[in-house]
Every structure is written in structure tokens, then in C-alpha cells.
mmCIF file with all atom_site columns, all heavy atoms in Angstrom:
data_model
loop_
_atom_site.group_PDB
_atom_site.id
_atom_site.type_symbol
_atom_site.label_atom_id
_atom_site.label_alt_id
_atom_site.label_comp_id
_atom_site.label_asym_id
_atom_site.label_entity_id
_atom_site.label_seq_id
_atom_site.pdbx_PDB_ins_code
_atom_site.Cartn_x
_atom_site.Cartn_y
_atom_site.Cartn_z
_atom_site.occupancy
_atom_site.B_iso_or_equiv
_atom_site.pdbx_formal_charge
_atom_site.auth_seq_id
_atom_site.auth_comp_id
_atom_site.auth_asym_id
_atom_site.auth_atom_id
_atom_site.pdbx_PDB_model_num
ATOM 1   N N   . HIS A 1 1  ? 0.817   -1.210  0.000   1.00 94.00 ? 1  HIS A N   1
ATOM 2   C CA  . HIS A 1 1  ? 0.000   0.000   0.000   1.00 94.00 ? 1  HIS A CA  1
ATOM 3   C C   . HIS A 1 1  ? 0.853   1.264   0.000   1.00 94.00 ? 1  HIS A C   1
ATOM 4   O O   . HIS A 1 1  ? 0.321   2.359   -0.190  1.00 94.00 ? 1  HIS A O   1
ATOM 5   C CB  . HIS A 1 1  ? -0.973  -0.014  1.182   1.00 94.00 ? 1  HIS A CB  1
ATOM 6   C CG  . HIS A 1 1  ? -2.060  -1.025  1.016   1.00 94.00 ? 1  HIS A CG  1
ATOM 7   N ND1 . HIS A 1 1  ? -3.176  -0.796  0.237   1.00 94.00 ? 1  HIS A ND1 1
ATOM 8   C CD2 . HIS A 1 1  ? -2.189  -2.290  1.484   1.00 94.00 ? 1  HIS A CD2 1
ATOM 9   C CE1 . HIS A 1 1  ? -3.961  -1.861  0.250   1.00 94.00 ? 1  HIS A CE1 1
ATOM 10  N NE2 . HIS A 1 1  ? -3.387  -2.793  0.993   1.00 94.00 ? 1  HIS A NE2 1
ATOM 11  N N   . GLN A 1 2  ? 2.152   1.116   0.194   1.00 94.00 ? 2  GLN A N   1
ATOM 12  C CA  . GLN A 1 2  ? 3.061   2.249   0.067   1.00 94.00 ? 2  GLN A CA  1
ATOM 13  C C   . GLN A 1 2  ? 3.291   2.595   -1.405  1.00 94.00 ? 2  GLN A C   1
ATOM 14  O O   . GLN A 1 2  ? 3.299   3.768   -1.787  1.00 94.00 ? 2  GLN A O   1
ATOM 15  C CB  . GLN A 1 2  ? 4.402   1.917   0.739   1.00 94.00 ? 2  GLN A CB  1
ATOM 16  C CG  . GLN A 1 2  ? 5.500   2.953   0.467   1.00 94.00 ? 2  GLN A CG  1
ATOM 17  C CD  . GLN A 1 2  ? 6.886   2.336   0.458   1.00 94.00 ? 2  GLN A CD  1
ATOM 18  O OE1 . GLN A 1 2  ? 7.029   1.108   0.451   1.00 94.00 ? 2  GLN A OE1 1
ATOM 19  N NE2 . GLN A 1 2  ? 7.891   3.183   0.447   1.00 94.00 ? 2  GLN A NE2 1
ATOM 20  N N   . ILE A 1 3  ? 3.456   1.562   -2.246  1.00 95.00 ? 3  ILE A N   1
ATOM 21  C CA  . ILE A 1 3  ? 3.749   1.819   -3.656  1.00 95.00 ? 3  ILE A CA  1
ATOM 22  C C   . ILE A 1 3  ? 2.482   1.940   -4.497  1.00 95.00 ? 3  ILE A C   1
ATOM 23  O O   . ILE A 1 3  ? 2.531   2.426   -5.624  1.00 95.00 ? 3  ILE A O   1
ATOM 24  C CB  . ILE A 1 3  ? 4.669   0.733   -4.251  1.00 95.00 ? 3  ILE A CB  1
ATOM 25  C CG1 . ILE A 1 3  ? 3.972   -0.626  -4.300  1.00 95.00 ? 3  ILE A CG1 1
ATOM 26  C CG2 . ILE A 1 3  ? 5.971   0.645   -3.468  1.00 95.00 ? 3  ILE A CG2 1
ATOM 27  C CD1 . ILE A 1 3  ? 4.740   -1.678  -5.091  1.00 95.00 ? 3  ILE A CD1 1
ATOM 28  N N   . ALA A 1 4  ? 1.339   1.506   -3.938  1.00 94.00 ? 4  ALA A N   1
ATOM 29  C CA  . ALA A 1 4  ? 0.061   1.582   -4.668  1.00 94.00 ? 4  ALA A CA  1
ATOM 30  C C   . ALA A 1 4  ? -1.023  2.038   -3.694  1.00 94.00 ? 4  ALA A C   1
ATOM 31  O O   . ALA A 1 4  ? -1.832  1.233   -3.235  1.00 94.00 ? 4  ALA A O   1
ATOM 32  C CB  . ALA A 1 4  ? -0.287  0.228   -5.275  1.00 94.00 ? 4  ALA A CB  1
ATOM 33  N N   . PRO A 1 5  ? -1.055  3.324   -3.362  1.00 93.00 ? 5  PRO A N   1
ATOM 34  C CA  . PRO A 1 5  ? -2.005  3.824   -2.349  1.00 93.00 ? 5  PRO A CA  1
ATOM 35  C C   . PRO A 1 5  ? -3.470  3.543   -2.675  1.00 93.00 ? 5  PRO A C   1
ATOM 36  O O   . PRO A 1 5  ? -4.281  3.371   -1.773  1.00 93.00 ? 5  PRO A O   1
ATOM 37  C CB  . PRO A 1 5  ? -1.716  5.329   -2.317  1.00 93.00 ? 5  PRO A CB  1
ATOM 38  C CG  . PRO A 1 5  ? -0.328  5.466   -2.834  1.00 93.00 ? 5  PRO A CG  1
ATOM 39  C CD  . PRO A 1 5  ? -0.160  4.379   -3.852  1.00 93.00 ? 5  PRO A CD  1
ATOM 40  N N   . ALA A 1 6  ? -3.815  3.505   -3.962  1.00 94.00 ? 6  ALA A N   1
ATOM 41  C CA  . ALA A 1 6  ? -5.206  3.225   -4.362  1.00 94.00 ? 6  ALA A CA  1
ATOM 42  C C   . ALA A 1 6  ? -5.349  1.773   -4.810  1.00 94.00 ? 6  ALA A C   1
ATOM 43  O O   . ALA A 1 6  ? -6.150  1.457   -5.699  1.00 94.00 ? 6  ALA A O   1
ATOM 44  C CB  . ALA A 1 6  ? -5.631  4.176   -5.479  1.00 94.00 ? 6  ALA A CB  1
ATOM 45  N N   . PHE A 1 7  ? -4.598  0.891   -4.166  1.00 94.00 ? 7  PHE A N   1
ATOM 46  C CA  . PHE A 1 7  ? -4.508  -0.494  -4.614  1.00 94.00 ? 7  PHE A CA  1
ATOM 47  C C   . PHE A 1 7  ? -5.865  -1.181  -4.699  1.00 94.00 ? 7  PHE A C   1
ATOM 48  O O   . PHE A 1 7  ? -6.141  -1.918  -5.653  1.00 94.00 ? 7  PHE A O   1
ATOM 49  C CB  . PHE A 1 7  ? -3.585  -1.277  -3.675  1.00 94.00 ? 7  PHE A CB  1
ATOM 50  C CG  . PHE A 1 7  ? -3.442  -2.724  -4.033  1.00 94.00 ? 7  PHE A CG  1
ATOM 51  C CD1 . PHE A 1 7  ? -2.791  -3.106  -5.197  1.00 94.00 ? 7  PHE A CD1 1
ATOM 52  C CD2 . PHE A 1 7  ? -3.957  -3.720  -3.216  1.00 94.00 ? 7  PHE A CD2 1
ATOM 53  C CE1 . PHE A 1 7  ? -2.658  -4.442  -5.545  1.00 94.00 ? 7  PHE A CE1 1
ATOM 54  C CE2 . PHE A 1 7  ? -3.829  -5.057  -3.549  1.00 94.00 ? 7  PHE A CE2 1
ATOM 55  C CZ  . PHE A 1 7  ? -3.171  -5.419  -4.718  1.00 94.00 ? 7  PHE A CZ  1
ATOM 56  N N   . ASP A 1 8  ? -6.741  -0.954  -3.719  1.00 93.00 ? 8  ASP A N   1
ATOM 57  C CA  . ASP A 1 8  ? -8.018  -1.665  -3.669  1.00 93.00 ? 8  ASP A CA  1
ATOM 58  C C   . ASP A 1 8  ? -8.944  -1.324  -4.840  1.00 93.00 ? 8  ASP A C   1
ATOM 59  O O   . ASP A 1 8  ? -9.914  -2.043  -5.084  1.00 93.00 ? 8  ASP A O   1
ATOM 60  C CB  . ASP A 1 8  ? -8.737  -1.370  -2.350  1.00 93.00 ? 8  ASP A CB  1
ATOM 61  C CG  . ASP A 1 8  ? -8.041  -2.038  -1.168  1.00 93.00 ? 8  ASP A CG  1
ATOM 62  O OD1 . ASP A 1 8  ? -7.083  -2.808  -1.408  1.00 93.00 ? 8  ASP A OD1 1
ATOM 63  O OD2 . ASP A 1 8  ? -8.440  -1.771  -0.017  1.00 93.00 ? 8  ASP A OD2 1
ATOM 64  N N   . SER A 1 9  ? -8.666  -0.264  -5.549  1.00 94.00 ? 9  SER A N   1
ATOM 65  C CA  . SER A 1 9  ? -9.465  0.086   -6.730  1.00 94.00 ? 9  SER A CA  1
ATOM 66  C C   . SER A 1 9  ? -8.718  -0.184  -8.037  1.00 94.00 ? 9  SER A C   1
ATOM 67  O O   . SER A 1 9  ? -9.205  0.170   -9.107  1.00 94.00 ? 9  SER A O   1
ATOM 68  C CB  . SER A 1 9  ? -9.867  1.570   -6.673  1.00 94.00 ? 9  SER A CB  1
ATOM 69  O OG  . SER A 1 9  ? -8.722  2.399   -6.677  1.00 94.00 ? 9  SER A OG  1
ATOM 70  N N   . SER A 1 10 ? -7.555  -0.835  -7.934  1.00 95.00 ? 10 SER A N   1
ATOM 71  C CA  . SER A 1 10 ? -6.745  -1.090  -9.126  1.00 95.00 ? 10 SER A CA  1
ATOM 72  C C   . SER A 1 10 ? -7.271  -2.294  -9.902  1.00 95.00 ? 10 SER A C   1
ATOM 73  O O   . SER A 1 10 ? -7.971  -3.161  -9.359  1.00 95.00 ? 10 SER A O   1
ATOM 74  C CB  . SER A 1 10 ? -5.288  -1.350  -8.739  1.00 95.00 ? 10 SER A CB  1
ATOM 75  O OG  . SER A 1 10 ? -5.165  -2.584  -8.039  1.00 95.00 ? 10 SER A OG  1
ATOM 76  N N   . GLN A 1 11 ? -6.921  -2.372  -11.170 1.00 96.00 ? 11 GLN A N   1
ATOM 77  C CA  . GLN A 1 11 ? -7.307  -3.514  -12.006 1.00 96.00 ? 11 GLN A CA  1
ATOM 78  C C   . GLN A 1 11 ? -6.696  -4.798  -11.474 1.00 96.00 ? 11 GLN A C   1
ATOM 79  O O   . GLN A 1 11 ? -7.341  -5.863  -11.475 1.00 96.00 ? 11 GLN A O   1
ATOM 80  C CB  . GLN A 1 11 ? -6.854  -3.267  -13.449 1.00 96.00 ? 11 GLN A CB  1
ATOM 81  C CG  . GLN A 1 11 ? -7.251  -4.381  -14.421 1.00 96.00 ? 11 GLN A CG  1
ATOM 82  C CD  . GLN A 1 11 ? -6.759  -4.119  -15.835 1.00 96.00 ? 11 GLN A CD  1
ATOM 83  O OE1 . GLN A 1 11 ? -6.185  -3.068  -16.121 1.00 96.00 ? 11 GLN A OE1 1
ATOM 84  N NE2 . GLN A 1 11 ? -6.987  -5.080  -16.726 1.00 96.00 ? 11 GLN A NE2 1
ATOM 85  N N   . TYR A 1 12 ? -5.458  -4.731  -11.001 1.00 95.00 ? 12 TYR A N   1
ATOM 86  C CA  . TYR A 1 12 ? -4.772  -5.915  -10.455 1.00 95.00 ? 12 TYR A CA  1
ATOM 87  C C   . TYR A 1 12 ? -5.537  -6.466  -9.252  1.00 95.00 ? 12 TYR A C   1
ATOM 88  O O   . TYR A 1 12 ? -5.720  -7.678  -9.128  1.00 95.00 ? 12 TYR A O   1
ATOM 89  C CB  . TYR A 1 12 ? -3.351  -5.539  -10.072 1.00 95.00 ? 12 TYR A CB  1
ATOM 90  C CG  . TYR A 1 12 ? -2.533  -6.661  -9.484  1.00 95.00 ? 12 TYR A CG  1
ATOM 91  C CD1 . TYR A 1 12 ? -2.200  -7.781  -10.232 1.00 95.00 ? 12 TYR A CD1 1
ATOM 92  C CD2 . TYR A 1 12 ? -2.061  -6.580  -8.173  1.00 95.00 ? 12 TYR A CD2 1
ATOM 93  C CE1 . TYR A 1 12 ? -1.429  -8.806  -9.693  1.00 95.00 ? 12 TYR A CE1 1
ATOM 94  C CE2 . TYR A 1 12 ? -1.283  -7.586  -7.631  1.00 95.00 ? 12 TYR A CE2 1
ATOM 95  C CZ  . TYR A 1 12 ? -0.972  -8.703  -8.391  1.00 95.00 ? 12 TYR A CZ  1
ATOM 96  O OH  . TYR A 1 12 ? -0.204  -9.709  -7.850  1.00 95.00 ? 12 TYR A OH  1
ATOM 97  N N   . TYR A 1 13 ? -5.991  -5.569  -8.385  1.00 95.00 ? 13 TYR A N   1
ATOM 98  C CA  . TYR A 1 13 ? -6.758  -6.013  -7.226  1.00 95.00 ? 13 TYR A CA  1
ATOM 99  C C   . TYR A 1 13 ? -8.087  -6.632  -7.665  1.00 95.00 ? 13 TYR A C   1
ATOM 100 O O   . TYR A 1 13 ? -8.461  -7.706  -7.208  1.00 95.00 ? 13 TYR A O   1
ATOM 101 C CB  . TYR A 1 13 ? -7.017  -4.848  -6.281  1.00 95.00 ? 13 TYR A CB  1
ATOM 102 C CG  . TYR A 1 13 ? -7.878  -5.230  -5.095  1.00 95.00 ? 13 TYR A CG  1
ATOM 103 C CD1 . TYR A 1 13 ? -7.328  -5.869  -3.993  1.00 95.00 ? 13 TYR A CD1 1
ATOM 104 C CD2 . TYR A 1 13 ? -9.255  -4.974  -5.083  1.00 95.00 ? 13 TYR A CD2 1
ATOM 105 C CE1 . TYR A 1 13 ? -8.111  -6.249  -2.904  1.00 95.00 ? 13 TYR A CE1 1
ATOM 106 C CE2 . TYR A 1 13 ? -10.044 -5.344  -4.015  1.00 95.00 ? 13 TYR A CE2 1
ATOM 107 C CZ  . TYR A 1 13 ? -9.471  -5.984  -2.930  1.00 95.00 ? 13 TYR A CZ  1
ATOM 108 O OH  . TYR A 1 13 ? -10.255 -6.368  -1.869  1.00 95.00 ? 13 TYR A OH  1
ATOM 109 N N   . ARG A 1 14 ? -8.790  -5.948  -8.560  1.00 95.00 ? 14 ARG A N   1
ATOM 110 C CA  . ARG A 1 14 ? -10.118 -6.421  -8.975  1.00 95.00 ? 14 ARG A CA  1
ATOM 111 C C   . ARG A 1 14 ? -10.045 -7.762  -9.688  1.00 95.00 ? 14 ARG A C   1
ATOM 112 O O   . ARG A 1 14 ? -10.907 -8.627  -9.487  1.00 95.00 ? 14 ARG A O   1
ATOM 113 C CB  . ARG A 1 14 ? -10.782 -5.389  -9.894  1.00 95.00 ? 14 ARG A CB  1
ATOM 114 C CG  . ARG A 1 14 ? -11.133 -4.072  -9.235  1.00 95.00 ? 14 ARG A CG  1
ATOM 115 C CD  . ARG A 1 14 ? -12.092 -3.265  -10.106 1.00 95.00 ? 14 ARG A CD  1
ATOM 116 N NE  . ARG A 1 14 ? -11.638 -3.148  -11.478 1.00 95.00 ? 14 ARG A NE  1
ATOM 117 C CZ  . ARG A 1 14 ? -10.858 -2.165  -11.936 1.00 95.00 ? 14 ARG A CZ  1
ATOM 118 N NH1 . ARG A 1 14 ? -10.434 -1.235  -11.103 1.00 95.00 ? 14 ARG A NH1 1
ATOM 119 N NH2 . ARG A 1 14 ? -10.511 -2.119  -13.210 1.00 95.00 ? 14 ARG A NH2 1
ATOM 120 N N   . GLU A 1 15 ? -9.020  -7.946  -10.510 1.00 92.00 ? 15 GLU A N   1
ATOM 121 C CA  . GLU A 1 15 ? -8.977  -9.138  -11.359 1.00 92.00 ? 15 GLU A CA  1
ATOM 122 C C   . GLU A 1 15 ? -8.185  -10.295 -10.752 1.00 92.00 ? 15 GLU A C   1
ATOM 123 O O   . GLU A 1 15 ? -8.352  -11.438 -11.189 1.00 92.00 ? 15 GLU A O   1
ATOM 124 C CB  . GLU A 1 15 ? -8.382  -8.770  -12.721 1.00 92.00 ? 15 GLU A CB  1
ATOM 125 C CG  . GLU A 1 15 ? -9.255  -7.794  -13.496 1.00 92.00 ? 15 GLU A CG  1
ATOM 126 C CD  . GLU A 1 15 ? -8.709  -7.490  -14.882 1.00 92.00 ? 15 GLU A CD  1
ATOM 127 O OE1 . GLU A 1 15 ? -7.674  -8.101  -15.274 1.00 92.00 ? 15 GLU A OE1 1
ATOM 128 O OE2 . GLU A 1 15 ? -9.310  -6.654  -15.576 1.00 92.00 ? 15 GLU A OE2 1
ATOM 129 N N   . TYR A 1 16 ? -7.331  -10.007 -9.772  1.00 93.00 ? 16 TYR A N   1
ATOM 130 C CA  . TYR A 1 16 ? -6.506  -11.101 -9.239  1.00 93.00 ? 16 TYR A CA  1
ATOM 131 C C   . TYR A 1 16 ? -6.392  -11.085 -7.715  1.00 93.00 ? 16 TYR A C   1
ATOM 132 O O   . TYR A 1 16 ? -6.765  -12.040 -7.047  1.00 93.00 ? 16 TYR A O   1
ATOM 133 C CB  . TYR A 1 16 ? -5.100  -11.050 -9.865  1.00 93.00 ? 16 TYR A CB  1
ATOM 134 C CG  . TYR A 1 16 ? -4.135  -12.030 -9.221  1.00 93.00 ? 16 TYR A CG  1
ATOM 135 C CD1 . TYR A 1 16 ? -4.214  -13.389 -9.505  1.00 93.00 ? 16 TYR A CD1 1
ATOM 136 C CD2 . TYR A 1 16 ? -3.199  -11.605 -8.289  1.00 93.00 ? 16 TYR A CD2 1
ATOM 137 C CE1 . TYR A 1 16 ? -3.373  -14.296 -8.894  1.00 93.00 ? 16 TYR A CE1 1
ATOM 138 C CE2 . TYR A 1 16 ? -2.349  -12.504 -7.670  1.00 93.00 ? 16 TYR A CE2 1
ATOM 139 C CZ  . TYR A 1 16 ? -2.434  -13.856 -7.968  1.00 93.00 ? 16 TYR A CZ  1
ATOM 140 O OH  . TYR A 1 16 ? -1.612  -14.743 -7.349  1.00 93.00 ? 16 TYR A OH  1
ATOM 141 N N   . TYR A 1 17 ? -5.898  -10.001 -7.152  1.00 94.00 ? 17 TYR A N   1
ATOM 142 C CA  . TYR A 1 17 ? -5.455  -10.037 -5.760  1.00 94.00 ? 17 TYR A CA  1
ATOM 143 C C   . TYR A 1 17 ? -6.590  -10.279 -4.787  1.00 94.00 ? 17 TYR A C   1
ATOM 144 O O   . TYR A 1 17 ? -6.413  -10.985 -3.782  1.00 94.00 ? 17 TYR A O   1
ATOM 145 C CB  . TYR A 1 17 ? -4.736  -8.724  -5.426  1.00 94.00 ? 17 TYR A CB  1
ATOM 146 C CG  . TYR A 1 17 ? -3.707  -8.832  -4.319  1.00 94.00 ? 17 TYR A CG  1
ATOM 147 C CD1 . TYR A 1 17 ? -2.415  -9.253  -4.598  1.00 94.00 ? 17 TYR A CD1 1
ATOM 148 C CD2 . TYR A 1 17 ? -4.023  -8.497  -2.997  1.00 94.00 ? 17 TYR A CD2 1
ATOM 149 C CE1 . TYR A 1 17 ? -1.469  -9.339  -3.605  1.00 94.00 ? 17 TYR A CE1 1
ATOM 150 C CE2 . TYR A 1 17 ? -3.076  -8.584  -1.997  1.00 94.00 ? 17 TYR A CE2 1
ATOM 151 C CZ  . TYR A 1 17 ? -1.797  -9.010  -2.300  1.00 94.00 ? 17 TYR A CZ  1
ATOM 152 O OH  . TYR A 1 17 ? -0.846  -9.107  -1.297  1.00 94.00 ? 17 TYR A OH  1
ATOM 153 N N   . ARG A 1 18 ? -7.760  -9.729  -5.063  1.00 93.00 ? 18 ARG A N   1
ATOM 154 C CA  . ARG A 1 18 ? -8.879  -9.882  -4.136  1.00 93.00 ? 18 ARG A CA  1
ATOM 155 C C   . ARG A 1 18 ? -9.274  -11.339 -3.964  1.00 93.00 ? 18 ARG A C   1
ATOM 156 O O   . ARG A 1 18 ? -9.826  -11.733 -2.933  1.00 93.00 ? 18 ARG A O   1
ATOM 157 C CB  . ARG A 1 18 ? -10.086 -9.062  -4.598  1.00 93.00 ? 18 ARG A CB  1
ATOM 158 C CG  . ARG A 1 18 ? -10.693 -9.541  -5.901  1.00 93.00 ? 18 ARG A CG  1
ATOM 159 C CD  . ARG A 1 18 ? -11.854 -8.675  -6.346  1.00 93.00 ? 18 ARG A CD  1
ATOM 160 N NE  . ARG A 1 18 ? -12.978 -8.743  -5.411  1.00 93.00 ? 18 ARG A NE  1
ATOM 161 C CZ  . ARG A 1 18 ? -14.139 -8.149  -5.633  1.00 93.00 ? 18 ARG A CZ  1
ATOM 162 N NH1 . ARG A 1 18 ? -14.314 -7.411  -6.726  1.00 93.00 ? 18 ARG A NH1 1
ATOM 163 N NH2 . ARG A 1 18 ? -15.117 -8.276  -4.768  1.00 93.00 ? 18 ARG A NH2 1
ATOM 164 N N   . TYR A 1 19 ? -9.012  -12.168 -4.979  1.00 92.00 ? 19 TYR A N   1
ATOM 165 C CA  . TYR A 1 19 ? -9.373  -13.590 -4.927  1.00 92.00 ? 19 TYR A CA  1
ATOM 166 C C   . TYR A 1 19 ? -8.272  -14.451 -4.304  1.00 92.00 ? 19 TYR A C   1
ATOM 167 O O   . TYR A 1 19 ? -8.485  -15.628 -4.053  1.00 92.00 ? 19 TYR A O   1
ATOM 168 C CB  . TYR A 1 19 ? -9.677  -14.095 -6.341  1.00 92.00 ? 19 TYR A CB  1
ATOM 169 C CG  . TYR A 1 19 ? -10.783 -13.335 -7.015  1.00 92.00 ? 19 TYR A CG  1
ATOM 170 C CD1 . TYR A 1 19 ? -10.517 -12.455 -8.062  1.00 92.00 ? 19 TYR A CD1 1
ATOM 171 C CD2 . TYR A 1 19 ? -12.110 -13.459 -6.586  1.00 92.00 ? 19 TYR A CD2 1
ATOM 172 C CE1 . TYR A 1 19 ? -11.532 -11.733 -8.674  1.00 92.00 ? 19 TYR A CE1 1
ATOM 173 C CE2 . TYR A 1 19 ? -13.133 -12.736 -7.186  1.00 92.00 ? 19 TYR A CE2 1
ATOM 174 C CZ  . TYR A 1 19 ? -12.836 -11.878 -8.232  1.00 92.00 ? 19 TYR A CZ  1
ATOM 175 O OH  . TYR A 1 19 ? -13.846 -11.166 -8.822  1.00 92.00 ? 19 TYR A OH  1
ATOM 176 N N   . SER A 1 20 ? -7.114  -13.860 -4.069  1.00 91.00 ? 20 SER A N   1
ATOM 177 C CA  . SER A 1 20 ? -5.988  -14.632 -3.527  1.00 91.00 ? 20 SER A CA  1
ATOM 178 C C   . SER A 1 20 ? -6.124  -14.880 -2.034  1.00 91.00 ? 20 SER A C   1
ATOM 179 O O   . SER A 1 20 ? -5.483  -15.772 -1.487  1.00 91.00 ? 20 SER A O   1
ATOM 180 C CB  . SER A 1 20 ? -4.671  -13.887 -3.787  1.00 91.00 ? 20 SER A CB  1
ATOM 181 O OG  . SER A 1 20 ? -4.582  -12.718 -2.976  1.00 91.00 ? 20 SER A OG  1
ATOM 182 N N   . GLY A 1 21 ? -6.941  -14.062 -1.349  1.00 90.00 ? 21 GLY A N   1
ATOM 183 C CA  . GLY A 1 21 ? -7.058  -14.164 0.098   1.00 90.00 ? 21 GLY A CA  1
ATOM 184 C C   . GLY A 1 21 ? -5.989  -13.384 0.831   1.00 90.00 ? 21 GLY A C   1
ATOM 185 O O   . GLY A 1 21 ? -6.009  -13.319 2.060   1.00 90.00 ? 21 GLY A O   1
ATOM 186 N N   . LEU A 1 22 ? -5.061  -12.765 0.109   1.00 93.00 ? 22 LEU A N   1
ATOM 187 C CA  . LEU A 1 22 ? -4.005  -11.966 0.727   1.00 93.00 ? 22 LEU A CA  1
ATOM 188 C C   . LEU A 1 22 ? -4.475  -10.530 0.909   1.00 93.00 ? 22 LEU A C   1
ATOM 189 O O   . LEU A 1 22 ? -5.337  -10.051 0.169   1.00 93.00 ? 22 LEU A O   1
ATOM 190 C CB  . LEU A 1 22 ? -2.746  -11.988 -0.145  1.00 93.00 ? 22 LEU A CB  1
ATOM 191 C CG  . LEU A 1 22 ? -2.189  -13.377 -0.476  1.00 93.00 ? 22 LEU A CG  1
ATOM 192 C CD1 . LEU A 1 22 ? -1.017  -13.256 -1.445  1.00 93.00 ? 22 LEU A CD1 1
ATOM 193 C CD2 . LEU A 1 22 ? -1.779  -14.126 0.782   1.00 93.00 ? 22 LEU A CD2 1
ATOM 194 N N   . HIS A 1 23 ? -3.884  -9.835  1.893   1.00 94.00 ? 23 HIS A N   1
ATOM 195 C CA  . HIS A 1 23 ? -4.289  -8.436  2.086   1.00 94.00 ? 23 HIS A CA  1
ATOM 196 C C   . HIS A 1 23 ? -3.148  -7.524  2.495   1.00 94.00 ? 23 HIS A C   1
ATOM 197 O O   . HIS A 1 23 ? -3.349  -6.303  2.604   1.00 94.00 ? 23 HIS A O   1
ATOM 198 C CB  . HIS A 1 23 ? -5.424  -8.346  3.125   1.00 94.00 ? 23 HIS A CB  1
ATOM 199 C CG  . HIS A 1 23 ? -4.960  -8.511  4.542   1.00 94.00 ? 23 HIS A CG  1
ATOM 200 N ND1 . HIS A 1 23 ? -5.144  -7.534  5.494   1.00 94.00 ? 23 HIS A ND1 1
ATOM 201 C CD2 . HIS A 1 23 ? -4.327  -9.533  5.161   1.00 94.00 ? 23 HIS A CD2 1
ATOM 202 C CE1 . HIS A 1 23 ? -4.650  -7.961  6.658   1.00 94.00 ? 23 HIS A CE1 1
ATOM 203 N NE2 . HIS A 1 23 ? -4.168  -9.155  6.480   1.00 94.00 ? 23 HIS A NE2 1
ATOM 204 N N   . ASP A 1 24 ? -1.961  -8.056  2.724   1.00 96.00 ? 24 ASP A N   1
ATOM 205 C CA  . ASP A 1 24 ? -0.815  -7.208  3.060   1.00 96.00 ? 24 ASP A CA  1
ATOM 206 C C   . ASP A 1 24 ? 0.444   -7.909  2.570   1.00 96.00 ? 24 ASP A C   1
ATOM 207 O O   . ASP A 1 24 ? 0.542   -9.146  2.652   1.00 96.00 ? 24 ASP A O   1
ATOM 208 C CB  . ASP A 1 24 ? -0.743  -6.970  4.573   1.00 96.00 ? 24 ASP A CB  1
ATOM 209 C CG  . ASP A 1 24 ? 0.138   -5.780  4.937   1.00 96.00 ? 24 ASP A CG  1
ATOM 210 O OD1 . ASP A 1 24 ? 0.555   -5.035  4.025   1.00 96.00 ? 24 ASP A OD1 1
ATOM 211 O OD2 . ASP A 1 24 ? 0.401   -5.590  6.144   1.00 96.00 ? 24 ASP A OD2 1
ATOM 212 N N   . GLU A 1 25 ? 1.406   -7.117  2.075   1.00 97.00 ? 25 GLU A N   1
ATOM 213 C CA  . GLU A 1 25 ? 2.570   -7.744  1.442   1.00 97.00 ? 25 GLU A CA  1
ATOM 214 C C   . GLU A 1 25 ? 3.765   -6.793  1.451   1.00 97.00 ? 25 GLU A C   1
ATOM 215 O O   . GLU A 1 25 ? 3.613   -5.584  1.218   1.00 97.00 ? 25 GLU A O   1
ATOM 216 C CB  . GLU A 1 25 ? 2.233   -8.139  0.007   1.00 97.00 ? 25 GLU A CB  1
ATOM 217 C CG  . GLU A 1 25 ? 3.334   -8.867  -0.730  1.00 97.00 ? 25 GLU A CG  1
ATOM 218 C CD  . GLU A 1 25 ? 2.927   -9.315  -2.124  1.00 97.00 ? 25 GLU A CD  1
ATOM 219 O OE1 . GLU A 1 25 ? 1.717   -9.168  -2.475  1.00 97.00 ? 25 GLU A OE1 1
ATOM 220 O OE2 . GLU A 1 25 ? 3.795   -9.800  -2.870  1.00 97.00 ? 25 GLU A OE2 1
ATOM 221 N N   . PHE A 1 26 ? 4.919   -7.354  1.721   1.00 98.00 ? 26 PHE A N   1
ATOM 222 C CA  . PHE A 1 26 ? 6.197   -6.674  1.543   1.00 98.00 ? 26 PHE A CA  1
ATOM 223 C C   . PHE A 1 26 ? 6.966   -7.357  0.421   1.00 98.00 ? 26 PHE A C   1
ATOM 224 O O   . PHE A 1 26 ? 6.857   -8.573  0.228   1.00 98.00 ? 26 PHE A O   1
ATOM 225 C CB  . PHE A 1 26 ? 7.054   -6.762  2.812   1.00 98.00 ? 26 PHE A CB  1
ATOM 226 C CG  . PHE A 1 26 ? 6.686   -5.799  3.903   1.00 98.00 ? 26 PHE A CG  1
ATOM 227 C CD1 . PHE A 1 26 ? 5.858   -6.186  4.942   1.00 98.00 ? 26 PHE A CD1 1
ATOM 228 C CD2 . PHE A 1 26 ? 7.190   -4.506  3.900   1.00 98.00 ? 26 PHE A CD2 1
ATOM 229 C CE1 . PHE A 1 26 ? 5.513   -5.303  5.954   1.00 98.00 ? 26 PHE A CE1 1
ATOM 230 C CE2 . PHE A 1 26 ? 6.860   -3.622  4.911   1.00 98.00 ? 26 PHE A CE2 1
ATOM 231 C CZ  . PHE A 1 26 ? 6.027   -4.015  5.950   1.00 98.00 ? 26 PHE A CZ  1
ATOM 232 N N   . ASN A 1 27 ? 7.739   -6.583  -0.305  1.00 97.00 ? 27 ASN A N   1
ATOM 233 C CA  . ASN A 1 27 ? 8.727   -7.134  -1.242  1.00 97.00 ? 27 ASN A CA  1
ATOM 234 C C   . ASN A 1 27 ? 10.075  -6.501  -0.933  1.00 97.00 ? 27 ASN A C   1
ATOM 235 O O   . ASN A 1 27 ? 10.159  -5.282  -0.719  1.00 97.00 ? 27 ASN A O   1
ATOM 236 C CB  . ASN A 1 27 ? 8.365   -6.825  -2.690  1.00 97.00 ? 27 ASN A CB  1
ATOM 237 C CG  . ASN A 1 27 ? 7.580   -7.937  -3.383  1.00 97.00 ? 27 ASN A CG  1
ATOM 238 O OD1 . ASN A 1 27 ? 7.714   -8.158  -4.585  1.00 97.00 ? 27 ASN A OD1 1
ATOM 239 N ND2 . ASN A 1 27 ? 6.739   -8.635  -2.638  1.00 97.00 ? 27 ASN A ND2 1
#
């Protein structure tokens, strides 16, 4: 959420991440 502040409204979130069950991540 540091590199993508509007992550929850992003295409990546809508099409993939929301279905992964994950909600927080570091790289």
C-alpha cells in the first residue's frame, strides 16, 4: 500500500489479488 495507495481500486486487485485471500505484502 506504500507503492500503490489506491490499490483496492486497481485492475490488479479487482482481477486477481482480491481472490488470492491476501491483504498485506512486503517485497
Side-chain angles (χ1 to χ4, degrees):
H1 289 280
Q2 171 210 11
I3 66 170
F7 179 68
D8 289 354
S9 61
S10 68
Q11 182 181 356
Y12 180 65
Y13 177 81
R14 294 195 310 270
E15 295 183 4
Y16 172 76
Y17 207 84
R18 66 182 295 185
Y19 302 108
S20 70
L22 304 175
H23 76 120
D24 198 9
E25 183 176 353
F26 281 96
N27 265 213

